[in-house]
Amino acid sequence: MKRRDFIKKAGVSGLAVGSVAAPMIARADTKLKWKMVTTWPKNFPVLGTGANLLAETITEMSNGRIDVKVYGAGELVPAFEVFDAVSRGTAELGHGAAYYWKGKIEEAQFFSTVPFGMNSQEMTAWLYHGGGMQLWEKTYEPFGVLPAAGGNTTVQMAGWFNKEINSINDLNGLKMRIPGLGGEVLKRAGGTPVNLPGGELFTSLKTGAIDATEWIGPYNDLAFGFYKAAKYYYYPGWHEPGTALETIINKKAFEALGKDLQSIVRNACKMVNQDMTSEFTAKNNAALETLVNKHNVDLRKLPDDVLAKLKVLSEDVVTELAGKNPAAKEIYNSYDKFRKQVMAWHDISEKIYYNVR
Ligand code: CA
């Protein structure tokens, strides 16, 4: 908005400031109380603590002009109502992941992760320097919600299994907790995907109610004690190669802020996006060592031919999602173009380097 229009629309002139008719505009002396609802339990490792860090950072950087209080899943609204709560302004901020809203906006899944898709570094690059964020903003615009990248899990693990996976046929009849597009791929391989909340996974695996589960990576998986309930820990997490988390902001609340506070909110989101990604990297490597050396976990790579077949099935699932509506197509085209370009670059940079170091 041009400054003059802004002044006109907001009614902020020398005289109007402080008048009863002037709309709520955050000034230097404004003290706003913001709520942040999350899809994670309060203080949940990295995900919940990352949301806490975002709240603290906004509060500190704004010198208390925006005082953010975090609510864990179920405290103010249930986990899967976070988007609606931010949309209607029950909370000004939310923290979760875009694929949770697929029932409402199917194409939102492209903004979290795609099986065999981009990794964390590539996702952040697409979002902030490759046109992804503009499409994400357009996707949430009708709901009055503004998105920001909110951390990234980095490449996840394929999961915990009680039987060996030697061929694609071993997935046939497998009952596995695996959400989203990855679950759809498993279904096409003959398996039965189930979606269970994190808190129920250990018991379901231990009692044999499910044959396998994926969760996140070594750090979060260690905390849940899956090594006590399953024999094999498979990699790589083909289904979630770099899941972007999200911070969502109520658009009206954001637009009512001055430029300084808007910049604080936006840049705090960017900082936390990077910080959470780094924390996952640091904690996963330490936890992997504990799992292997202390708990003697049987670490296995999924066979190449199994991965190759899962990739073919994934391409079908992702292409079908792209064909569901024009918006999905537009996002897919942007994602896929960037993916191809960045792969060509990373094939001769990151990938080669990983192989020679
Ligand atoms: Ca996962």
Side-chain angles (χ1 to χ4, degrees):
M1 209 186 286
K2 294 231 169 63
R3 185 170 155 75
R4 202 177 305 141
D5 295 341
F6 176 79
I7 289 170
K8 214 192 292 169
K9 279 202 183 165
V12 182
S13 69
L15 289 173
V17 170
S19 80
V20 183
M24 258 272 289
I25 295 290
R27 300 185 313 270
D29 58 349
T30 303
K31 299 262 189 261
L32 296 170
K33 295 258 182 216
W34 274 22
K35 298 183 186 81
M36 186 196 298
V37 288
T38 69
T39 57
W40 333 109
K42 190 87 189 276
N43 303 324
F44 195 77
V46 192
L47 301 162
T49 54
N52 294 346
L53 175 67
L54 177 59
E56 285 158 18
T57 304
I58 293 174
T59 304
E60 277 176 23
M61 286 173 81
S62 69
N63 196 24
R65 281 185 290 156
I66 308 178
D67 188 7
V68 186
K69 184 170 160 49
V70 179
Y71 295 84
E75 287 189 327
L76 198 62
V77 294
F80 293 145
E81 285 174 26
V82 162
F83 188 90
D84 287 343
V86 173
S87 174
R88 61 174 184 258
T90 304
E92 289 79 8
L93 292 166
H95 195 265
Y99 57 14
Y100 290 147
W101 325 127
K102 67 172 185 173
K104 183 189 290 289
I105 321 163
E106 222 162 3
E107 60 272 24
Q109 293 178 92
F110 284 113
F111 302 112
S112 53
T113 194
V114 166
F116 294 94
M118 292 194 273
N119 68 17
S120 59
Q121 193 183 345
E122 295 162 350
M123 267 305 283
T124 304
W126 174 58
L127 289 172
Y128 285 112
H129 292 278
M133 189 53 74
Q134 286 86 339
L135 291 168
W136 201 358
E137 287 177 1
K138 189 172 154 187
T139 305
Y140 285 0
E141 167 90 57
F143 304 92
V145 170
L146 200 62
N152 195 299
T153 66
T154 69
V155 182
Q156 299 195 8
M157 289 292 283
W160 299 85
F161 295 74
N162 267 317
K163 68 178 217 179
E164 288 183 53
I165 306 299
N166 295 318
S167 86
I168 193 86
N169 296 331
D170 291 322
L171 297 178
N172 196 17
L174 191 86
K175 195 171 174 192
M176 178 173 181
R177 184 270 182 186
I178 172 169
L181 296 169
E184 184 55 35
V185 174
L186 178 73
K187 197 193 281 177
R188 293 183 192 203
T192 306
V194 291
N195 198 2
L196 293 169
E200 291 175 27
L201 296 184
F202 179 81
T203 308
S204 303
L205 192 61
K206 185 88 182 162
T207 58
I210 52 174
D211 305 313
T213 187
E214 68 81 57
W215 179 227
I216 305 176
Y219 180 63
N220 298 89
D221 292 11
L222 172 65
F224 272 178
F226 293 134
Y227 62 91
K228 289 182 249 175
K231 276 191 201 150
Y232 308 109
Y233 194 22
Y234 274 97
Y235 62 93
W238 56 273
H239 61 300
E240 295 198 65
T243 302
L245 309 166
E246 69 173 13
T247 302
I248 47 178
I249 310 158
N250 177 278
K251 209 155 183 258
K252 265 194 202 143
F254 183 81
E255 283 170 354
L257 300 175
K259 281 238 153 37
D260 54 345
L261 290 180
Q262 286 186 350
S263 175
I264 285 171
V265 171
R266 275 197 194 278
N267 285 299
C269 287
K270 274 196 170 181
M271 184 280 287
V272 168
N273 180 54
Q274 183 55 50
D275 189 77
M276 284 177 70
T277 309
S278 304
E279 192 180 1
F280 271 116
T281 301
K283 295 206 162 144
N284 277 334
N285 78 56
L288 180 64
E289 192 177 74
T290 304
L291 283 169
V292 173
N293 296 333
K294 191 173 165 202
H295 300 302
N296 301 310
V297 164
D298 194 340
L299 195 63
R300 303 268 181 115
K301 180 176 179 284
L302 283 172
D304 288 343
D305 65 318
V306 171
L307 288 168
K309 283 178 177 136
L310 288 169
K311 190 175 165 188
V312 171
L313 295 172
S314 296
E315 276 162 12
D316 290 346
V317 168
V318 175
T319 317
E320 278 170 35
L321 173 61
K324 296 232 164 145
N325 60 58
K329 185 79 186 154
E330 188 186 17
I331 299 164
Y332 170 79
N333 286 346
S334 168
Y335 180 99
D336 199 51
K337 187 177 170 212
F338 194 87
R339 182 182 69 93
K340 284 177 181 141
Q341 282 177 353
V342 81
M343 272 172 66
W345 159 235
H346 276 170
D347 276 353
I348 62 151
S349 55
E350 304 279 340
K351 194 170 167 181
I352 292 290
Y353 175 68
Y354 280 6
N355 289 339
V356 299
R357 71 181 178 178

